[in-house]
Amino acid sequence: MTETTQREARIEQGVDLENLGAFLDYAEANPADVQFELGAVGTYEGRAIHTRAKTGPYALGGGEIDRVAREYTYHFGGHREVEEAVGFVDPTDRREVIETALAALSGCLNAAISMSAIAQGVDLDELETTVRIEWDPFVFLWLEDVEGPDGAPRDMFGDLRVEIEVSGENVDETTLDEIREWTGRSAVYNLVTLPHRCEPEVRLK
């Protein structure tokens, strides 16, 4: 076996398995060094619903990482038909925030499944995740109170629906059961399906 072939044999789904193994050993021995703090900043653009959001610096292992190449900008707003219906002047068609969150969830589920496949020796050929949810905008539009009659926050959404299609040489019904379990390793899935304490701090600018 040539050196090139040996090298290729250690690559799976674009990941060098030797380097991955070394990283996992390090992470297990040094858990504090692999903890993240992530964030984003949204700035109102002077037009209802429209926000310019940015991601950039993040903390890893207690140290901040910041570089110009990591400054991603997202222009959020509404669907053109919705803006037109509610009375916007010159309605536009922008990236919608709920759809963006669903897109992030689909990407994170794919990430968790593909990394789990490497860990479990499953060869993936195709992987596609579709995420859907129904949204009732009445609370957002001030047509209902934030809290219901029982004093609990009113749920604006229906059930989250996730459909995963996958194929591979050694993918069978048993693998599908494993993949259902792997979805629980997705960070965004955890973020949107489990309660996390949040008490917004509001102050004068």
Side-chain angles (χ1 to χ4, degrees):
M1 183 180 289
T2 66
E3 183 178 343
T4 301
T5 304
Q6 290 175 336
R7 176 70 177 173
E8 289 175 348
R10 296 200 305 265
I11 305 296
E12 188 171 328
Q13 297 188 60
V15 177
D16 186 311
L17 300 186
E18 185 176 322
N19 288 344
L20 174 61
F23 169 78
L24 293 175
D25 289 342
Y26 178 85
E28 188 172 24
N30 304 273
D33 289 350
V34 296
Q35 303 304 309
F36 286 88
E37 182 176 340
L38 306 172
V41 177
T43 303
Y44 171 62
E45 296 182 84
R47 180 178 171 94
I49 302 177
H50 287 209
T51 289
R52 183 182 71 254
K54 289 186 177 183
T55 56
Y58 69 98
L60 176 60
E64 185 177 271
I65 297 176
D66 187 12
R67 55 183 176 273
V68 174
R70 284 220 82 257
E71 187 175 283
Y72 299 104
T73 302
Y74 311 84
H75 294 282
F76 293 121
H79 307 94
R80 180 170 53 82
E81 294 81 2
V82 174
E83 289 196 357
E84 184 175 17
V86 301
F88 273 63
V89 177
D90 298 326
T92 59
D93 200 358
R94 280 195 167 195
R95 181 176 294 172
E96 201 274 339
V97 290
I98 301 171
E99 291 174 332
T100 304
L102 298 178
L105 175 57
S106 71
C108 194
L109 284 166
N110 282 355
I113 292 168
S114 58
M115 288 298 287
S116 296
I118 292 175
Q120 298 300 310
V122 174
D123 297 321
L124 293 180
D125 290 333
E126 296 176 293
L127 171 61
E128 184 171 85
T129 298
T130 302
V131 183
R132 296 184 180 89
I133 200 163
E134 295 178 356
W135 174 47
D136 179 349
F138 268 39
V139 172
F140 176 78
L141 295 171
W142 281 73
L143 296 175
E144 285 185 338
D145 292 333
V146 172
E147 296 179 349
D150 60 355
R154 195 183 300 272
D155 191 347
M156 303 182 198
F157 293 96
D159 291 336
L160 185 63
R161 304 193 304 278
V162 176
E163 299 173 4
I164 300 168
E165 293 182 303
V166 61
S167 68
E169 185 176 345
N170 59 348
V171 173
D172 54 23
E173 289 296 327
T174 301
T175 312
L176 299 185
D177 289 335
E178 293 174 344
I179 290 174
R180 291 185 187 96
E181 188 175 306
W182 297 347
T183 59
R185 297 185 181 275
S186 161
V188 179
Y189 184 79
N190 183 288
L191 179 63
V192 302
T193 61
L194 298 182
H196 297 87
R197 180 176 297 176
C198 180
E199 297 179 4
E201 297 180 15
V202 182
R203 56 183 177 271
L204 294 174
K205 189 172 178 65

